[in-house]
Amino acid sequence: MSVLKLGIPKGSLEEATIELFDKSGWQIKMKSRNYFPEVDDTELSCSICRPQEMSRYVESGMLDAGITGKDWTLENESDIEVITDLVYSKVSKKPTRWVIAVPGDSEITSIEQLEGKRISTELVNVTKRFFQEKNINVDIAFSWGATEAKAVSGLADAIVEVTETETTIRAHGLRVIHELMQSNVQLIANKSALADPWKRKKIDNIVMLLEGALRADRIVGVKMNVPETSLEEIITLLPSLNAPTVAKLYKQDWFSLETVISQHQVRDLVPKLKDAGAEGIIEYSLNKVI
């Protein structure tokens, strides 16, 4: 029997990834001190690994596909295929940002002033390419962690670090002078695996359901009973992905009306529907929108 080898990212994305797969139809169960979680699909084998290493494992064929960040795929210069971008609502609805920051009391205000300076970062290769393209000569050193402290302690003139809100950077007394790049979560695949018809189909099915689950986030179904005299008025009130579903109730001059809308629209919409004559209004959550 064929099996697809899938990489699950360890760390900040781990819980959100497992929750997303659960919503998509796969239960992935972690075991204590085990890097090979159980999954309720005999056609799927999961491994846990750091996002920084994911693209290397996928490129080598040790994994057929995996979830990681765009930043680490670019950092490793991996020869893989990016299948889709995933916006994790429970982690961030915005891309993460890699920024260049300096101590708050530094005289440096632009990247040009970093000529000949020392920069500390975990994203070494991307940073090197960035400054080479700008024709700015800098000394770049790999940081094994606590990157902000390198600039604070004087071990580096600037850092390149990932952030969402800049809260941690500002808390260390640092100041952002440039955004180097934005990154987002991606599902990547090995090119040889994609050449296998069975694995390609399995990956495509996973992507379809993952994207369907993400699309359903903050979207709800709304169902109601509507008198025939109010039907057209109520239909005009409804925002919808497509035209609403309308069905006549048995032996009555009433209709059942159903649609899908953004969750934030419900609080303003329901009173209007009620005033227009709708009854039995039901709001329900969705797992997927395909």
Side-chain angles (χ1 to χ4, degrees), residues 25 43-44 92 124 149:
E43 298 178 346
L44 201 59
S92 174
V124 171

Side-chain angles (χ1 to χ4, degrees), residues 103 117-121 139 147 149-159:
K117 302 297 186 182
R118 296 163 297 172
I119 297 178
S120 181
T121 184
D139 179 15
T147 305
K150 306 294 196 312
V152 174
S153 62
L155 295 175
D157 299 296
I159 64 168

